[in-house]
Amino acid sequence: MSYKSLIKAVEKMHCKPGKNISLKKFETDFDKKSITKKEGELMLKKGVEMMAEMQDKLYAHNQHSVLIIFQAMDAAGKDSAIKHIMSGLNPQGVKVTSFKQPSSAELDHDYLWRHAIAMPSRGEIGIHNRSHYENVLVTRVHPEWILNENLPGIENVDDITPKFWEERFKQINRFEKNQADNGTVILKFFLNVSKKEQKKRFIQRIEDKTKNWKFSLADLKERALWDKYMGCYEDLLSKTSQSHAPWYVIPADDKWYARLVIAYIIYTNFEKLKLSYPRPTQKQMEELKSAKAVLDAEKG
């Protein structure tokens, strides 16, 4: 795969702000003639090395942070993408947060609270495995779960109107705009796995004893709601892909290809920051010179 063809492929994965998104127009697979798995893995290895250098500059620069969000249906490859793409980075500068069902303490705060406190610090990369988007996704498929938030004016499911969800989209957009305005680069990835491929991976989890722990009957219950989830994803992709916080729909039927594309997108957005190592001041240069003289004078 040439650099130009990779750029072209990624452009098709970008959800343009203000556009209504139909997932039927996005591929779950890719053109097998464009690149081999061996070529892709070599490109990914090189990409991870380049990202490691960028991470070092990000930390030294200490003005920006990077938030990477992964959303997907079960078995789409979120965990493996995080593992492989971030394998070459300094773990001290990467903060991975996996969001499960909210605790009672988290439910006593607004729904964005637990996500806000998990935001990366300056110089840090934050990875959210599932995210604040669960609050306009899973809760939309299961609106009865909203009642656990004990919100004023929401006494039963009938009180959760379309306006309620529109307000949540606005709140999320404001939340991300505030983060972006204060130096956080936000990149959001929806791993677009096909229903056929999900079935294949579920069966593998059942048949492979080392993967049994990954499977739950609850996964099948959510799979039965596939079409409803796709509709909710289309809505959130349409209403929350912004220039400062773009969504990318990644073909996820082949995990190695998904990893390559994600790494490429992350790296190219790193490049846009034009990061460099901080230049020492005159005073710092003098201190460095003095320190070197002391070290040079040591015996042995």
Side-chain angles (χ1 to χ4, degrees), residues 107 109-112 132-137 139-140 145-147 149-151 154 160-175 239-240:
L107 287 169
H109 294 80
D110 71 273
Y111 71 94
L112 287 170
H132 45 281
Y133 284 99
E134 293 292 286
N135 298 284
V136 287
L137 183 64
T139 53
R140 200 168 180 187
W145 292 0
I146 289 291
L147 303 180
E149 296 182 25
N150 200 28
L151 296 172
I154 304 295
I160 306 171
T161 63
K163 184 179 179 181
F164 174 88
W165 300 114
E166 291 300 319
E167 285 301 315
R168 284 222 157 169
F169 286 130
K170 291 178 183 178
Q171 291 162 5
I172 287 172
N173 284 333
R174 287 199 298 267
F175 172 71
K239 293 174 180 174
T240 62

Side-chain angles (χ1 to χ4, degrees), residues 10 52 113 172 267:
V10 167
W113 176 77
I172 287 172
Y267 178 74

Side-chain angles (χ1 to χ4, degrees), residues 99-295:
F99 291 99
K100 307 295 184 181
Q101 186 174 340
S103 66
S104 57
E106 290 168 339
L107 287 169
D108 278 338
H109 294 80
D110 71 273
Y111 71 94
L112 287 170
W113 176 77
R114 66 174 181 158
H115 305 285
I117 61 175
M119 290 295 291
S121 304
R122 298 191 191 283
E124 191 175 56
I125 298 172
I127 301 171
H128 288 188
N129 187 346
R130 300 193 188 278
S131 66
H132 45 281
Y133 284 99
E134 293 292 286
N135 298 284
V136 287
L137 183 64
V138 177
T139 53
R140 200 168 180 187
V141 175
H142 301 281
E144 65 276 10
W145 292 0
I146 289 291
L147 303 180
N148 295 329
E149 296 182 25
N150 200 28
L151 296 172
I154 304 295
E155 303 297 333
N156 54 62
V157 173
D158 291 336
D159 295 325
I160 306 171
T161 63
K163 184 179 179 181
F164 174 88
W165 300 114
E166 291 300 319
E167 285 301 315
R168 284 222 157 169
F169 286 130
K170 291 178 183 178
Q171 291 162 5
I172 287 172
N173 284 333
R174 287 199 298 267
F175 172 71
E176 292 181 347
K177 184 66 165 64
N178 180 59
Q179 298 296 330
D181 286 347
N182 284 277
T184 300
V185 176
I186 303 173
L187 299 171
K188 302 179 293 193
F189 299 101
F190 170 57
L191 274 57
N192 191 25
V193 69
S194 66
K195 195 173 183 180
K196 179 181 178 181
E197 179 63 23
Q198 188 198 54
K199 177 183 176 180
K200 175 183 173 183
R201 294 178 188 179
F202 276 173
I203 291 174
Q204 288 175 342
R205 290 181 177 185
I206 294 170
E207 294 178 342
D208 186 343
K209 291 182 179 180
T210 66
K211 294 182 179 180
N212 286 170
W213 63 275
K214 288 186 174 184
F215 185 78
S216 166
L217 286 177
D219 297 337
L220 285 183
K221 293 179 181 179
E222 297 306 295
R223 176 178 167 83
L225 300 169
W226 183 279
D227 290 343
K228 195 166 186 179
Y229 270 107
M230 291 301 104
C232 291
Y233 266 117
E234 288 177 341
D235 209 19
L236 76 82
L237 292 169
S238 300
K239 293 174 180 174
T240 62
S241 191
Q242 307 292 328
S243 58
H244 58 271
W247 273 108
Y248 294 89
V249 178
I250 308 298
D253 281 0
D254 279 277
K255 291 183 178 181
W256 65 267
Y257 181 76
R259 296 166 193 158
L260 172 62
V261 171
I262 292 166
Y264 169 79
I265 293 170
I266 295 171
Y267 178 74
T268 53
N269 278 275
F270 261 130
E271 280 192 317
K272 291 176 184 177
L273 294 176
K274 300 186 184 302
L275 296 175
S276 60
Y277 292 107
R279 297 182 63 180
T281 63
Q282 183 61 37
K283 181 180 178 181
Q284 289 171 329
M285 287 294 293
E286 291 172 0
E287 290 174 346
L288 290 170
K289 185 178 180 180
S290 178
K292 184 175 184 301
V294 171
L295 291 170

Side-chain angles (χ1 to χ4, degrees), residues 68-79:
I68 300 168
I69 289 173
F70 287 102
Q71 288 286 158
M73 296 295 284
D74 291 322
K78 298 187 302 300
D79 292 343

